[in-house]
Amino acid sequence: MTTTTRPAEPVTAAAPARRIGPAGLALRQGRLEIRQFLRSRESVVFTLGFPLIMVLIFASIFDEEIAPGVSYTQYFITGMIATGLMTVSFQNLGIWIPIERDRGVLKRYRGTPMPKWVWFAGKVIMVLVTGVVMTALLLAVSVTLFDLELPTTTTAWLTFGWVSALGVTACTLCGIAISSLARTARSGSAVVTPVALVLQFISGVFFVFTNLPTWMQQVAALFPLKWMCQGLRAVFLPESFGADEPGGSFELTRVAVVLGVWCVIGLVLCLTTFRWTTRRDG
């Protein structure tokens, strides 16, 4: 009896795992951050709903003109766009990063081979996507219900773009930095929310900026929100309204300089104060 042996199958080397580049890593982390954000209904409602609710309330109550051809509604909406951008960046990150730190999420990230910058990139992508959605919702509601006039020139839209980009960058970096002040997950909101509310009241969001006391205007001028509001007013309000600004014009050059300086300040604070672990972890 003879046995036939089959020829051995050729051994093929396993295909090497596809290497993901830096952009791919950042996008993956960004998608993860967006999914986590959407799973938290409270955050979604607060971040996207708060500016919309404020616009619906204030724009429905106040309909008088604050200057020839400029209604309070149009003025207020520009401030709420700036506030919304601050909420999705500064306030959102300042509250949620301490929660992740307290739960040990950041500590686990730190122990993985993933480059540390990828985690930050994911946060930035989440902020950008959320900011675009929030701004689109605000503009849609304002145009539909309150007859907001959108910019009609390329220059105005470019101004809208760079003011928003610089403002979100500054607020994102400051949000990451201020998250280190919270000792526990619960204290994040207590640290960040009062700062955000005070800035809204003194930066010309709820009230015409020049109607505020002079000392309050001077304090507000030290922080980004006031300049974000002023830059956006240059986009949505008539050019003639610039004469009613404290400097006699919209001062877009100064807006760019101040927001740029805050980007640098925020980056320095992030690099020097950010912590991956809680104080009790050492």
Side-chain angles (χ1 to χ4, degrees):
M1 183 174 176
T2 58
T3 58
T4 354
T5 57
R6 294 184 180 178
E9 299 254 347
V11 179
T12 56
R18 183 168 169 263
R19 189 177 182 85
I20 302 175
L25 286 173
L27 290 174
R28 283 193 175 189
Q29 186 65 23
R31 287 196 295 268
L32 174 62
E33 294 290 346
I34 291 170
R35 285 200 298 268
Q36 290 178 339
F37 170 75
L38 294 176
R39 286 172 185 163
S40 174
R41 295 180 181 178
E42 298 85 356
S43 291
V44 174
V45 171
F46 176 78
T47 303
L48 300 181
F50 174 75
L52 288 173
I53 292 171
M54 291 296 100
V55 166
L56 290 172
I57 292 175
F58 278 81
S60 299
I61 295 174
F62 304 102
D63 57 357
E64 71 274 6
E65 285 195 348
I66 59 173
V70 179
S71 66
Y72 173 82
T73 300
Q74 198 166 4
Y75 183 96
F76 177 69
I77 288 171
T78 60
M80 284 313 301
I81 293 173
T83 294
L85 293 175
M86 184 184 72
T87 301
V88 302
S89 52
F90 175 78
Q91 200 163 351
N92 197 24
L93 295 178
I95 291 174
W96 274 100
I97 290 176
I99 294 175
E100 293 183 353
R101 183 183 293 119
D102 207 47
R103 291 175 178 172
V105 176
L106 300 190
K107 188 177 182 180
R108 291 195 292 273
Y109 268 123
R110 189 184 184 186
T112 66
M114 183 182 76
K116 306 301 181 290
W117 68 263
V118 174
W119 180 84
F120 292 98
K123 292 294 185 189
V124 170
I125 291 173
M126 183 270 292
V127 166
L128 291 176
V129 171
T130 310
V132 168
V133 172
M134 182 277 307
T135 303
L137 288 173
L138 270 178
L139 291 177
V141 169
S142 302
V143 169
T144 304
L145 300 181
F146 303 108
D147 300 322
L148 175 70
E149 295 182 9
L150 295 178
T152 56
T153 65
T154 304
T155 303
W157 281 112
L158 287 175
T159 301
F160 179 76
W162 68 256
V163 170
S164 300
L166 281 177
V168 166
T169 301
C171 290
T172 298
L173 293 170
C174 290
I176 294 172
I178 202 173
S179 69
S180 297
L181 294 180
R183 293 180 175 273
T184 64
R186 293 181 180 180
S187 62
S189 181
V191 169
V192 178
T193 303
V195 175
L197 285 175
V198 169
L199 288 177
Q200 290 171 41
F201 277 103
I202 69 174
S203 299
V205 175
F206 298 105
F207 310 102
V208 177
F209 187 71
T210 49
N211 290 346
L212 298 173
T214 303
W215 68 266
M216 200 175 288
Q217 296 180 35
Q218 293 170 346
V219 172
L222 298 175
F223 299 98
L225 184 59
K226 181 265 184 188
W227 299 99
M228 291 169 66
C229 292
Q230 186 166 310
L232 292 178
R233 288 198 291 272
V235 175
F236 291 96
L237 300 187
E239 189 176 347
S240 58
F241 190 82
D244 295 326
E245 296 287 349
S249 70
F250 289 117
E251 298 180 293
L252 289 178
T253 301
R254 182 171 291 185
V255 170
V257 170
V258 174
L259 291 180
V261 168
W262 267 105
C263 289
V264 175
I265 292 173
L267 179 60
V268 171
L269 290 174
C270 284
L271 294 175
T272 55
T273 65
F274 185 77
R275 294 181 292 107
W276 292 91
T277 58
T278 61
R279 287 186 173 89
R280 63 177 177 269
D281 292 330

